Each structure stands twice: as C-alpha cells, then as structure tokens.
Amino acid sequence: MRQVRRGPAASPGQAGYGGAPQYAGGVPQQPSYVDGGYAEPPGGYDSGYNTGQVYGSPGGRGPGGPGDGMYEPRPAPNWRRRIKVTTITLVTLLVVTSVATYFWADSKLNRDVDLSKVIDRPEAGEGTNYLIVGSDSRAGMSAEEKKKLHTGSAEGKRTDSMMILHTGGGAPTLVSLPRDSNVTIPSYKGSDSGKLYQGTGRQTKLNAAYAEDGPELLVRTVEANTGLHIDHYVEIGFGGFANIVDAVGGVEMDIPQDIKDTKSGADFKKGKQTLNGEQALAFVRTRYALAGSDLDRTKNQQKFLSALANQVATPSTVLNPFKLYPTMGAGLDSLVVDKDMGLFDLADMFWAMKGVSGGEGKSMNMPIAGNAGNGNLQWDTAKVKTLVNELKNDDKVTVSSK
C-alpha cells in the first residue's frame, strides 16, 4: 500500500525522515576547487568536529553525554575526618597497649610478704615509707653465675643492704640502715608457724632479724626500734640486681677512688665509667676496701640505686619498647614485695629514688653515736627520735648522719 506523507514536504538541506539531512538527488554537495584551491560549499561544510561533538557525544564528553559520571572530578579529601579517624585509632591502640602492659607487669610482681603478720605496729604517719632490702639470695643462679658474680654458695639468704625511703608532699628522703646496727629483737609472731615469741631484750645486728624469720621479723624489728611505720616492703636478690643493670645497658657512675676488693670482685679505677651487672654488684657489695667499711658501703649503695632509678626513668628507656619490656621483665621478676604493693606504689618509689639522685631529696645513714658494748653500731637515740618525727609529719629532714 502506498504511503502518504502528511504535512509540508521538507526542503532540500532540511532534516528528513530519521533526522538525516536531505540533499538534492540524494548525494551530498561536493566541495569545488577554484583556481586550484579549496572552496567551501555554500553554507559551509560542517563535520561536527568544530562543536566537539564526537560519536554523538554532545559537548565532547564521550558516551552518555553530560549525565555520564565516568569522568567526574574526584572530590577533595576530607582531611578533618581523616585526622579524626587516625587520632581515634592511635588513642585506642595506646589505651589497649597500656592496659595490656599494666596487667602483664602486675602479674609479674612476687607478692610474697604478708605485713598483716607483723604485730604491735606503730601508727602510720604522713607520706609513705618503703623498706628496700638487697638480699644475698642466690635463687635461680647457676654455679657458673655464682662464680662469675663472686656471690659464694651459702644456703638461704641474708640482708646485704637495708634502706628506708620516705616519699610525701616534700622532697624524698633515703635513709640507710647499716646491717651491723645494734637492735633489740622484739616480741613477734612467726611468719610460718604463727607462734608468738616473747621478746627477751636480746640485742643483735639488724641483719640477724631477717636471717631469723625473714621479711616480717625484719619489718617488726625496724618498726619497734625506730617507731616508724613501714608501708611497703621491696626486696631484690643478687642475680636480679645484675640482670636489671644489664637490661638498661649499664649504669654510669663517678667512682671517687680506686677500689680493689677480692671478696666482692671489685676492681675499679677512679673516675666516670659505665658499670655492667657484674661490676655493679661488686661495687655495691664492697666494704673491706673502704675506710668506713659498712658505713661507706651504704653510701655507695645509695648512690648506685639512685643512679639506676634515674637511668630507668628516662625517655630512652620508657619510650623504647625494645628496652622498656626487657628492663621491666628483669626488674619485676626479681622483686619480692608485700601483698598490698601495686605498680603505682612501685612507680612512686622509683620516681622518689630518681628525685634523690637529682638532688631534690636527701640521702643519709641512720645517725650513729659509736659502738655498742657488743661491738655493733649504736644509733644516736636523740637524733633518731628527731628524724622519725620529721618523717612521720612529712617535714623537711634537718638531722644529719653525724
């Protein structure tokens, strides 16, 4: 059937059916050459390129035209959000690591001393008093280690050094108690048996109390002879002491004189030097090569422990996990503390020791008046009473060792 076109016919050059341009005779007009040159056809030749329309893409954007998001520009990064997410992530990691470290460290404390067994205790004063004990325990040491560290092979353990560290609102005070101090053994309850032993006025050296019934009797004896309440007990043995020093990479000391002692293994020249664990143990144990014997040894022990605490509490140790964790592991494994001792108490003790080494605090020996009738060191009763009252009230210590 013949199709009938409705409406006016399209003129040449106008779009016909399907939108295609119509040319006379169905053939597009060809360009002409005038004088050997190129001449545009009437009305101009339009290839579509001058509008940027390629392959049916209006505006030259490729398939899909303006609505296609294929080549849309990327949005600017939201730095505020990125910083916020990064900060939250880092804080979360820090909190998780800190909590994990706390429980790990807390689990390593050997809380073997029960101060609740100590009887007839004086009232607690202001501040906190730590009884710090260095024992000659050889527990866990091999025969080779004992030989290397010149510890001998005696069974059991005895106190090699004893100090009271007081912390409070003011500057810390570190008081050494010479092991040969003359004391009276008071009535006490056996730490294992629970049996009550009545005091007989027996006088002996202070370190004998520890040898007789351990830490609890030592605390009882110190409190009974001073009137000062001991809040916490901290003890470290030979091997543990050396391990801590090695873990921090040694401790720098300025040794005031040449020291040579075959019994402790000390062999030092005067001047600044870094002591490793073996050397440090020899240094703090030396007394036979010193003019003041045990009194000079306690001074060296104070200096070294303060220097050790000062080195442990430094950014190079605290902020370096490869140094911090071995140091904490060596220290915590080696310590014996009372059942109420916490990590914050331990940190308080170390910071106070650091303060003493930095000159903020005071270090001294228990005031000595001379020798007792039995040859032991006799405390100066009047000065000890003043010292104890100042510590109880957390006042500045005015008493001297002499």
Side-chain angles (χ1 to χ4, degrees):
M1 181 177 179
R2 184 178 179 180
Q3 296 181 354
V4 180
R5 181 186 301 273
R6 298 183 182 274
S11 62
Q14 292 179 336
Y17 180 76
Q22 302 296 315
Y23 302 98
V27 180
Q29 185 176 0
Q30 301 299 312
S32 61
Y33 294 84
V34 180
D35 297 329
Y38 175 78
E40 291 287 348
Y45 175 71
D46 186 1
S47 66
Y49 283 94
N50 61 342
T51 62
Q53 298 177 7
V54 182
Y55 301 117
S57 302
R61 289 193 174 187
D68 195 324
M70 185 174 181
Y71 296 99
E72 289 291 327
R74 293 181 179 179
N78 188 339
W79 289 109
R80 180 176 295 179
R81 182 176 182 277
R82 290 187 180 185
I83 292 173
K84 181 179 179 180
V85 171
T86 301
T87 302
I88 292 175
T89 301
L90 291 176
V91 170
T92 301
L93 287 174
L94 179 61
V95 170
V96 170
T97 302
S98 299
V99 171
T101 300
Y102 176 87
F103 283 105
W104 167 77
D106 188 71
S107 67
K108 283 184 166 292
L109 280 178
N110 301 304
R111 297 182 174 92
D112 298 335
V113 179
D114 189 357
L115 295 184
S116 68
K117 295 179 180 179
V118 181
I119 62 173
D120 300 332
R121 309 191 66 188
E123 291 185 4
E126 300 293 329
T128 304
N129 298 310
Y130 298 88
L131 180 59
I132 303 172
V133 175
S135 76
D136 64 359
S137 172
R138 299 157 179 83
M141 295 175 64
S142 64
E144 183 179 349
E145 288 173 327
K146 292 175 184 177
K147 182 178 180 181
K148 179 182 177 182
L149 298 176
H150 299 272
T151 65
S153 300
E155 296 297 325
K157 58 182 182 178
R158 285 149 292 278
T159 52
D160 211 53
S161 62
M162 292 160 284
M163 305 177 189
I164 294 175
L165 174 66
H166 174 83
T167 69
T173 301
L174 184 62
V175 182
S176 284
L177 310 175
R179 54 184 274 176
D180 293 341
S181 297
N182 191 58
V183 295
T184 300
I185 301 295
S187 299
Y188 69 95
K189 184 178 291 186
S191 57
D192 292 328
S193 65
K195 180 181 177 181
L196 180 64
Y197 295 89
Q198 293 290 345
T200 61
R202 175 169 53 101
Q203 294 187 338
T204 184
K205 294 180 180 180
L206 179 59
N207 66 342
Y210 182 95
E212 190 170 324
D213 199 50
E216 288 84 0
L217 179 55
L218 178 61
V219 171
R220 168 75 178 122
T221 302
V222 169
E223 289 187 340
N225 284 265
T226 63
L228 186 68
H229 181 90
I230 299 299
D231 298 286
H232 291 295
Y233 178 91
V234 181
E235 178 187 324
I236 186 168
F238 281 165
F241 179 83
N243 289 339
I244 294 175
V245 175
D246 286 334
V248 298
V251 176
E252 185 179 76
M253 290 292 296
D254 188 358
I255 299 179
Q257 66 184 72
D258 292 351
I259 299 176
K260 188 172 182 64
D261 184 356
T262 56
K263 291 192 175 182
S264 69
D267 188 2
F268 305 110
K269 297 296 182 182
K270 177 181 178 180
K272 285 188 177 181
Q273 51 204 286
T274 299
L275 307 185
N276 61 24
E278 178 184 349
Q279 294 168 326
L281 185 58
F283 177 72
V284 299
R285 293 183 62 218
T286 296
R287 65 169 175 165
Y288 294 105
L290 304 176
S293 188
D294 199 40
L295 293 178
D296 282 349
R297 177 170 70 164
T298 57
K299 293 177 183 178
N300 285 342
Q301 291 170 346
Q302 289 178 346
K303 290 177 183 178
F304 187 86
L305 289 179
S306 295
L308 175 61
N310 188 60
Q311 186 152 331
V312 170
T314 58
S316 63
T317 298
V318 175
L319 299 180
N320 183 353
F322 298 102
K323 201 170 184 179
L324 175 63
Y325 285 95
T327 301
M328 290 180 65
L332 296 173
D333 280 340
S334 309
L335 294 179
V336 175
V337 300
D338 64 270
K339 293 185 179 299
D340 294 327
M341 186 80 163
L343 288 178
F344 291 109
D345 299 309
L346 198 60
D348 174 64
M349 185 189 80
F350 270 101
W351 281 107
M353 294 285 286
K354 178 181 172 70
V356 172
S357 68
E360 301 170 6
K362 181 182 180 71
S363 60
M364 59 182 290
N365 277 324
M366 186 65 85
I368 302 296
N371 291 330
N374 55 10
N376 300 332
L377 295 175
Q378 185 64 52
W379 293 349
D380 187 318
T381 307
K383 285 188 175 182
V384 169
K385 183 177 180 180
T386 301
L387 172 63
V388 169
N389 285 335
E390 289 175 339
L391 295 178
K392 277 186 174 182
N393 297 322
D394 201 22
D395 293 333
K396 180 179 179 180
V397 173
T398 60
V399 178
S400 64
S401 300
K402 297 179 180 179

